[in-house]
Every structure is written in C-alpha cells, then in structure tokens.
Amino acid sequence: MRRLRADYPDAECALRYNSPVQLLVATILSAQCTDERVNLVTARLFADCPTAEDLAGLPLERLERYVQSTGFFRNKAKNIKACCTTLVEEYDGQPPRTLEELVPLAGVGRKTANVVLGVAYGIAAGVVVDTHVGRLSRRTGLTTQEDPVRVERDLMELLPRSRWIDFSHQMIYHGRQVCDARRPKCDTCSFRRFCPRVGVAD
C-alpha cells in the first residue's frame, strides 16, 4: 500500500462525468471497453442527455446509436434506459447510496456499484475489482481467486477500509503502466522485491 501511494499519489477514476448519474452510466458502458472510448462516447451523450430523466426518455434506438462503438451496445443501451427509468421513478433521478439498492439496478453489479459509491460519494462499501485489480492481486499473491466477488472478499479482509477506494485506482494505474497482462515490465517494477511471480504472466 505504501508503494502504491508513493508511485501513484494522484490516481483517480479515468472516466469523465459531471454527476453520479453520469458516472453510473459511464461505468456501465466501460464493460469490455476502454475508458478512452467511453469518454469519447459520453462527451456527446452527456452533452445531449445530461440527466437520468433525459436518458430514460431517450428512444432506445437513438440511445443505441450513441453507444454503438462501446460494444455490446444493444444490451448496454437497454440497461442504461431501464436503470435510469428506475432512478427517476424510485430515487428522484439520483443513484442510491448503498450497495443493496444499487446492485439490483439494470446493468449494475458489485463493481459498478463500488465505483459509484467510492468515486461519486466517497463511500467505501467494497473494493472495485476490474481486470487489472484482479490480475495484479493474483500476481502479487493477495488472492488465488479468479471470480471478482471472491477477489474482492479477499482484498476487503486484507486492506483497511480507509484504503479500499484509492487501492483500486492505484492498482489500475500500475496495471496499465507497468504490470501489463502480456508483457509486464518486471525489470523496472517497484513491486519487484515483494512480488512472488516476477515475470510470470497470468
């Protein structure tokens, strides 16, 4: 944790948003898609439809055209429209502030819920486990699990709650910049002295 904090003191969510609703939608779109692509798509989408009300009222076909380049666009568009409709009808157009209320929303699982709670609201309800966090946690011996929910459970037991939010951002930065899935830069990695799997890719 000290090494991560020293290497990535300014690590933060790479998705661009202006409200909790926009962060929720951007995170749904980020599944199987790069943050860069999501940011390109949401720049236009949020300019035209900034609120849950706007997104819920958008015809599905138009929403599909907005998000088409993010992949799996029909399913994503359907989930975004359904999710925003629920937000409007049950939560005054804003994402709720608990995992128990967020996870049942269309297109929202634990990862997305943890992103919204941690980034938008500063609530450490869990640890965001994306592909980078999962891969690095296995490589560094923090877990042997493959399932993201089980990885999260292991990390929550190991880490103090005060580090749950920043830990994920910092691990994601390290995964992108150093600990690449196929070609990890082990020779220059600051984790080298305590990584049990130096040079071994998952």
Side-chain angles (χ1 to χ4, degrees), residues 168-188:
S168 295
H169 295 318
Q170 292 162 349
M171 286 284 268
I172 290 168
Y173 269 55
H174 190 69
R176 287 174 174 162
Q177 298 180 21
V178 179
C179 197
D180 182 76
R182 292 182 177 84
R183 297 177 181 173
K185 302 172 184 175
C186 299
D187 291 343
T188 60

Side-chain angles (χ1 to χ4, degrees), residues 109-126:
R110 284 191 65 91
K111 187 194 89 167
T112 297
N114 282 327
V115 169
V116 172
L117 291 172
V119 176
Y121 296 139
I123 299 171

Side-chain angles (χ1 to χ4, degrees), residues 2 7 34 45 47-48 60 65 79 81 85 94 119 141 145-146 158 166 172 180 182 194:
R2 287 195 296 270
D7 288 352
T34 66
L45 176 62
D48 295 342
L60 185 59
R65 289 197 293 273
N79 283 334
K81 185 174 177 66
T85 298
Q94 293 299 320
V119 176
Q145 302 292 336
E146 294 287 338
L158 288 170
D166 290 342
I172 290 168
D180 182 76
R182 292 182 177 84
F194 48 76

Side-chain angles (χ1 to χ4, degrees), residues 29 31-34 36-42 44 63-74 76:
L29 290 173
Q32 305 297 312
C33 184
T34 66
E36 291 79 8
R37 168 57 56 183
V38 172
N39 287 335
L40 287 173
V41 168
T42 55
R44 181 175 168 224
L63 183 54
E64 287 177 351
R65 289 197 293 273
Y66 274 107
V67 305
Q68 185 170 0
S69 65
T70 66
F72 304 99
F73 67 94
R74 288 192 176 89
K76 289 179 179 179

Side-chain angles (χ1 to χ4, degrees), residues 159-172:
L159 303 169
R161 183 182 288 265
S162 62
R163 291 286 292 125
W164 287 359
I165 298 172
D166 290 342
F167 176 84
S168 295
H169 295 318
Q170 292 162 349
M171 286 284 268
I172 290 168

Side-chain angles (χ1 to χ4, degrees), residues 13 15-30 38-39 41-55 80 83-84 87 93-95 112 115-116 119-121:
C13 181
L15 296 172
R16 295 179 192 148
Y17 64 96
N18 291 312
S19 68
V21 169
Q22 292 184 6
L23 177 61
L24 175 58
V25 171
T27 308
I28 291 173
L29 290 173
S30 71
V38 172
N39 287 335
V41 168
T42 55
R44 181 175 168 224
L45 176 62
F46 295 156
D48 295 342
C49 304
T51 69
E53 290 84 353
D54 296 324
L55 291 162
I80 289 169
C83 178
C84 288
L87 293 182
Q94 293 299 320
T112 297
V115 169
V116 172
V119 176
Y121 296 139

